[in-house]
Amino acid sequence: MPMRPLLAAVLGLAPLVALAQSVALTGVSGSKALVVIEGAAPRFLSAGQSHQGVKLLSTQGESAVLEIDGQRQTLQVGDAPVSVGRSGGGAPPQRIVLTADSQGHFMPAGQINGRTVQFMVDTGATLVILSEADARRIQLPFEQGQKVRVSTANGQAIGHQVRLGSVKVGNALVYEVPAIVLPQAMPYVLLGNSFLTRFQMQRTNDQLTLDKRY
């Protein structure tokens, strides 16, 4: 896995929203999430439970994945409320447009489980690959993942195979993305094919366009 300089340029389209529903995450207790819907009193939801069009899918650390009016959202405790359009609102954009750096590499900033990371697009990587340092910083419990032997540019390494709750680049969000956490230091997270294959990719000169397929 080569290590390359960092430079990112991410372009996105603003979503069109009408009649938005406001939802905030105020706490997580085990598999339960404490949510505030439309400014009402906080209410605990268990995994699979719904209330007023909001369904809790899963929790992890201080984040929760909810389905709000049919749209998946990953919320962090303490963040500002999210607004999701109801019927009549436009669908969230699912296109990413990246501009290459001077060496022809695509280096978008993004998020894993709602935490900011620095990506590098790597079509040669089967999965998303991140270091243990990055995994700890974003509070990813990688030690619970299955141990796997991985071939790297520096030889064999033992990593942990995990599943990321959400990966976001620009305004495109992908859920349940397989990944590998490796012990060696890395200056960025490799954005591999477990994310990229969800998109139709097209390169024109120094721009890479990814349109979400599913």
Side-chain angles (χ1 to χ4, degrees):
M1 292 177 299
M3 301 298 175
R4 305 178 178 104
L6 302 180
L7 181 63
V10 181
L11 303 177
L13 302 175
L16 301 174
V17 178
L19 299 175
Q21 182 176 26
S22 172
V23 181
L25 180 67
T26 58
V28 175
S29 178
S31 62
K32 293 184 177 182
L34 188 63
V35 298
V36 175
I37 304 171
E38 297 286 7
R43 180 186 180 97
F44 269 113
L45 294 179
S46 301
Q49 185 179 4
S50 300
H51 180 65
Q52 294 184 2
V54 177
K55 181 179 181 180
L56 175 64
L57 300 180
S58 64
T59 61
Q60 185 176 58
E62 294 186 346
S63 68
V65 179
L66 299 113
E67 185 175 275
I68 307 170
D69 286 336
Q71 299 180 26
R72 284 196 177 195
Q73 296 282 336
T74 300
L75 276 63
Q76 293 286 132
V77 173
D79 282 356
V82 299
S83 295
V84 175
R86 293 171 173 164
S87 58
Q94 295 295 298
R95 167 173 287 189
I96 308 168
V97 181
L98 307 177
T99 301
D101 64 12
S102 59
Q103 298 185 32
H105 304 137
F106 298 96
M107 309 290 296
Q111 295 180 352
I112 293 176
N113 296 347
R115 305 275 182 169
T116 300
V117 296
Q118 176 67 56
F119 287 117
M120 186 195 78
V121 174
D122 189 347
T123 58
T126 303
L127 306 180
V128 173
I129 300 175
L130 62 159
S131 67
E132 289 185 0
D134 270 327
R136 291 191 178 94
R137 182 179 60 81
I138 65 174
Q139 299 179 6
L140 180 68
F142 65 91
E143 296 93 342
Q144 300 174 13
Q146 179 183 356
K147 288 186 177 182
V148 292
R149 186 176 298 276
V150 180
S151 296
T152 73
N154 298 319
Q156 296 286 315
I158 300 297
H160 290 82
Q161 186 166 341
V162 298
R163 189 169 290 271
L164 307 175
S166 66
V167 176
K168 184 177 182 181
V169 179
N171 288 303
L173 190 61
V174 175
Y175 298 94
E176 299 300 318
V177 180
I180 296 285
V181 177
L182 295 180
Q184 59 258 49
M186 297 169 56
Y188 41 67
V189 177
L190 297 181
L191 194 62
N193 289 318
S194 56
F195 177 88
L196 297 174
T197 53
R198 307 283 188 95
F199 296 83
Q200 180 68 41
M201 294 187 291
Q202 180 177 350
R203 180 166 182 172
T204 304
N205 298 323
D206 65 343
Q207 285 197 333
L208 179 65
T209 301
L210 292 85
D211 287 299
K212 194 174 181 185
R213 299 191 294 121
Y214 64 95

